[in-house]
Amino acid sequence: MCTINLGPLREVMMHLAASSSVELVGYVIGYKAGHEGEIHASALIMARNMSKAAEKEFIAEPRDILVAHTVAENLGLDVVGVFHTHPSCPPVVSAKDREGMRNWPIVWIVASPRGLGAYMPGGSGGGIGEIRRCTIR
C-alpha cells in the first residue's frame, strides 16, 4: 500500500497546476511513518525547469535538486517525492515520467487542472515497469 499525506500542500499543488502553461517541478520533503510506511509531506521545494520543451516535459535544474536534499537534511527529513504538473494532460504518469521513475524510485505526484495523482514505481510483482497508484490524504 502507498499512502501520502500532503496536508496543506495539496492545495498549493493544485494552485500551481492551474497557474502555469509549462510543466513545473519540485521535490517533496518529509518522512515515512508507521509500519505501512505512510509518507508525510512537510514542504515542497520548487526547482527550475530547464527543458526547451517545458510545455510538455521537465528537466530539473541539478543545483535545485541539491538544494532540496540539503534543506531536507538540515531539517532531519528526506526527499520523499517528485512533484510536477501536467498543464494540459490528466494527472497520470506519462511515458517520460516512467523513465524518470527508474532513476528516482520514490513517489511521483502529478498535478493538473483536472486533479492530483500520486504513483510509486514497482507494483505487486516488484518490477520497476509496474506502477501503483497511491492514496492521497
Side-chain angles (χ1 to χ4, degrees), residues 5 9 47 61 67 121 129:
N5 187 335
L9 289 179
E61 164 61 54
V67 166

Side-chain angles (χ1 to χ4, degrees), residues 5-67:
N5 187 335
L6 293 176
L9 289 179
R10 179 185 194 117
E11 294 303 316
V12 171
M13 291 173 174
M14 291 302 299
H15 174 74
L16 289 169
S19 66
S20 180
S21 61
V22 298
E23 286 202 13
L24 302 175
V25 58
Y27 294 88
V28 179
I29 60 173
Y31 61 95
K32 289 184 180 180
H35 69 283
E36 293 286 326
E38 181 173 327
I39 299 165
H40 292 265
S42 301
L44 176 63
I45 306 296
M46 296 303 292
R48 289 168 284 184
N49 185 348
M50 305 304 290
S51 174
K52 293 192 185 327
E55 68 283 346
K56 62 180 181 177
E57 70 175 13
F58 74 86
I59 299 172
E61 164 61 54
R63 289 173 288 202
D64 295 340
I65 299 169
L66 180 60
V67 166

